[in-house]
């Protein structure tokens, strides 16, 4: 296979920096090592903004005897060229064909990237089904999508369940010893906590990194050559959430709550500022204001980096904290806008979902934000909650009006339908009719004194189905990909008709899976994944929600 003249070929594509490699702090291309290809099944701009992606890449590169390279889902123009020239998908660093690596590790973050994953295997000349493969790289997977591995298990040789830090080094060390005997490696890997080996493992426990404050942190990740979704330092200040909203999967799979000390965070921030040149530090977490020393942390960041023109921003916060001292600190930051997630102003539904944030706290936070100079506020609401009625929908409109009137801020709102997620109390909840959900959202959009974002009905249907998929839906993914599905998370590429046809190809319909009801007495497709928050705890929370 003749190697292309990349210097002449890449400029023909839109944003050629997505494929060139050579970024500042790019991974070193080391010879005589086990080759690990870290794959992200989405665009370069999205993957390069992922803290988890960079964390895994640095874990691999720190492992003796290994070197890591990267690959992302190619844009449509590059994919067409690869297919026309019959040339395989290649890595950024060395331009090696993906199929020549020892391991390809996919970071699976969301359901609508599943067809991209299959497409990347096809472009790499690798059969998607595990049972159809011979003499090819070990296909490894990790990420939150594997909270329910049922539909994806047919495609992976080995799956890392949970947090990579305590598991991946042990798996790689074992692979180094047994790389010449894959069957032996997989049998022994199945005994490692946090590892699920399809075809071998019956159950596996989700891995939690208990030494979170001492964890390795990528302070010098490769910096994107093209515009990325988030060109900034991502500083993870805590993991997990003190609150346990009944719709939220992340609060369960990242349980228990852990946080880094201010001393450790300042050490990481200083090293990151010095090595990247970014002028913004984003405090990432499920709920940043849960950190016990958040005020001190913001003060330390401000006084340490203000002379360098570096500011800290935080998107996730509780309104009660914002209005009681946090606002004054955040007022020193760039005031692009404040974002809060009331989910619902209905007191009845607040009890159903277990979210203890009152409407009064939201109003108080908005008023304080206006006083300190903010001009805009964005509010996140959820519809399709159990027990929801017309009065609850009206309450969203009234609440938006009240926020605007009380604060004088420009208000925008996001309306998202509930997606019942595995390992949450709502895993047993029936999904609401998507047409009715769309009608509710359109009603709010027309009546509320704010710019209200739309949701895509078709994407909601597919996400809802794949989140609670069983093993049979691996065939659906193959059928959808065969008909051309990819980049389903991008509205300009998503085509619901393709998915409808794919369901017909497997002799079914989307309605059969979307409206499926799971009973509390039955074994669920994801029950082979064992979490710290057990089934009995989820069942009790579900029963409380139904009582409410």
């Amino acid at each position: 296979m003749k190697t292309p003249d990349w210097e002449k070929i890449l400029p023909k594509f839109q944003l050629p920096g997505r494929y060139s490699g050579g970024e500042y702090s790019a991974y070193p291309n080391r010879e005589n090592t086990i080759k690990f290809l870290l794959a992200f099944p989405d665009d370069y701009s999205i993957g390069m903004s992922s803290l988890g992606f960079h964390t895994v890449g640095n874990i691999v590169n720190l492992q003796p005897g290994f070197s890591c390279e990267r690959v992302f889902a190619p844009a449509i123009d590059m994919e067409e060229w690869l297919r026309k020239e019959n040339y395989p998908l290649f890595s950024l660093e060395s331009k090696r064909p993906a199929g020549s690596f020892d391991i390809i590790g996919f970071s699976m973050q969301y359901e609508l990237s599943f067809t991209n994953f299959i497409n990347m295997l096809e472009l790499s000349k690798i059969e998607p089904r595990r049972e159809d493969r011979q003499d090819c790289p070990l296909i490894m997977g990790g990420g939150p999508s594997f909270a329910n591995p049922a539909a994806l298990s047919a495609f992976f040789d080995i799956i890392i369940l949970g947090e990579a830090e305590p598991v991946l080094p042990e798996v790689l060390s074992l692979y180094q010893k047994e790389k010449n005997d894959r069957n032996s490696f997989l049998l022994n890997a199945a005994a490692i906590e946090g590892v699920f080996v399809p075809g071998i493992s019956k159950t596996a426990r989700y891995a939690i990194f208990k030494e979170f404050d001492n964890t390795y942190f990528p302070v010098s990740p490769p910096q994107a050559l093209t515009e990325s979704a988030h060109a900034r330092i991502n500083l993870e200040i805590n993991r997990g959430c003190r609150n346990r909203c009944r719709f939220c999967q992340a609060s369960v799979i990242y349980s228990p709550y852990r946080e880094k000390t201010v001393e450790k965070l300042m050490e990481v921030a200083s090293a990151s500022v010095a090595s990247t040149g970014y002028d913004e530090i984003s405090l990432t977490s499920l709920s940043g204001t849960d950190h016990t020393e958040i005020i001190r942390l913001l003060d330390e960041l401000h006084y340490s980096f203000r002379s360098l023109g570096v500011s800290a921003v935080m998107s996730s916060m509780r309104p009660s904290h914002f209005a009681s001292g946090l606002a004054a600190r955040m007022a020193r930051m760039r005031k692009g806008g404040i974002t809060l997630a009331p989910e619902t102003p209905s007191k009845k539904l607040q009890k159903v979902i277990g979210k203890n944030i009152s409407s009064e706290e939201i109003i108080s936070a908005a008023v304080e934000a206006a006083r300190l100079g903010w001009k805009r506020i964005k509010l996140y609401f959820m519809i399709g909650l159990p027990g929801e009625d017309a009065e609850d929908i009206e309450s969203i409109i009234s609440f938006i009006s009240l926020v605007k009137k009380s604060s004088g801020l420009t208000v925008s709102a996001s309306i998202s339908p509930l997606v019942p997620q595995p390992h949450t109390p709502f895993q047993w909840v029936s999904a609401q009719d998507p047409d009715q959900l769309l009608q509710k959202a359109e009603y709010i959009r027309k009546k509320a004194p704010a710019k209200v974002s739309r949701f895509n009905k078709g994407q909601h249907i597919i996400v809802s189905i794949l989140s609670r998929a069983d093993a049979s839906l691996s065939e659906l993914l193959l059928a959808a990909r065969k008909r051309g599905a990819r980049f389903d998370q991008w509205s300009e590429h998503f085509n619901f008709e393709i998915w409808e046809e794919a369901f017909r190809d497997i002799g079914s319909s989307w309605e059969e899976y979307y409206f499926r009801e799971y009973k509390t007495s039955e074994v669920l497709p994801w029950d082979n994944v064992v979490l710290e928050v057990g089934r009995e705890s989820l069942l009790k929370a579900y029963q409380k929600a139904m009582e409410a």
Side-chain angles (χ1 to χ4, degrees), residues 264-422:
K264 174 63 72 172
L265 290 167
M266 291 304 300
E267 177 186 332
V268 172
S270 297
S272 298
V273 168
S275 64
T276 65
Y278 288 135
D279 62 359
E280 185 173 281
I281 301 172
S282 175
L283 308 186
T284 64
S285 67
L286 291 176
S287 180
T289 49
D290 280 349
H291 196 286
T292 52
E293 292 193 279
I294 187 62
I295 299 296
R296 179 188 164 205
L297 174 61
L298 290 172
D299 284 344
E300 292 268 5
L301 290 170
H302 174 70
Y303 292 115
S304 296
F305 301 119
R306 63 177 177 176
S307 62
L308 300 175
V310 177
S311 63
V313 298
M314 182 169 58
S315 58
S316 59
M317 68 189 80
R318 297 191 187 280
S320 57
H321 292 86
F322 180 82
S324 63
L326 184 63
R329 269 75 179 182
M330 294 186 66
R332 300 179 302 208
M333 306 174 187
R334 298 169 186 168
K335 302 187 187 74
I338 180 175
T339 302
L340 298 172
E343 311 300 354
T344 174
S346 164
K347 294 188 182 300
K348 175 192 70 178
L349 293 183
Q350 286 173 356
K351 292 181 180 179
V352 171
I353 66 176
K355 186 152 189 171
N356 55 353
I357 295 178
S358 69
S359 297
E360 291 75 19
E361 289 175 329
I362 300 284
I363 298 293
S364 177
V367 170
E368 183 70 357
R371 186 183 72 81
L372 291 170
W374 272 274
K375 303 298 182 183
R376 303 187 305 278
I377 185 170
K378 185 168 186 178
L379 302 173
Y380 282 86
F381 297 98
M382 187 173 289
I383 59 174
L385 298 170
E388 182 179 83
D389 56 29
E391 185 177 341
D392 298 318
I393 298 300
E394 292 289 349
S395 72
I396 294 176
I397 299 169
S398 300
F399 183 70
I400 292 173
S401 299
L402 184 58
V403 170
K404 185 172 185 177
K405 181 179 179 181
S406 301
S407 66
L409 296 172
T410 298
V411 182
S412 61
S414 174
I415 309 295
S416 301
L418 170 69
V419 175
Q421 293 279 1

Side-chain angles (χ1 to χ4, degrees), residues 104 106 108 114-115 117-118 121 126-133 136-141 146 149-159 198 471-479 481:
I104 304 180
F106 281 89
M108 305 297 292
F114 290 180
T115 51
F117 153 68
I118 294 174
L121 287 180
I126 297 172
E127 288 289 340
R129 287 189 186 90
R130 181 179 67 257
E131 63 186 29
D132 296 334
R133 294 196 292 260
C136 68
L138 182 81
I139 306 301
M140 178 185 294
F146 290 107
L152 291 174
S153 290
F155 310 119
F156 284 90
D157 297 306
I158 183 171
I159 294 167
S472 69
L473 288 186
S474 61
E475 295 302 315
L476 172 72
L477 295 173
L478 290 170
R481 174 59 221 129

Side-chain angles (χ1 to χ4, degrees), residues 130-178:
R130 181 179 67 257
E131 63 186 29
D132 296 334
R133 294 196 292 260
Q134 289 182 343
D135 300 324
C136 68
L138 182 81
I139 306 301
M140 178 185 294
S145 293
F146 290 107
N148 175 14
L152 291 174
S153 290
F155 310 119
F156 284 90
D157 297 306
I158 183 171
I159 294 167
I160 307 298
L161 290 180
E163 299 169 14
E165 293 98 333
V167 183
L168 187 55
E170 186 174 357
V171 171
L172 295 180
S173 178
L174 177 64
Y175 181 84
Q176 192 169 30
K177 295 174 183 175
E178 303 194 1

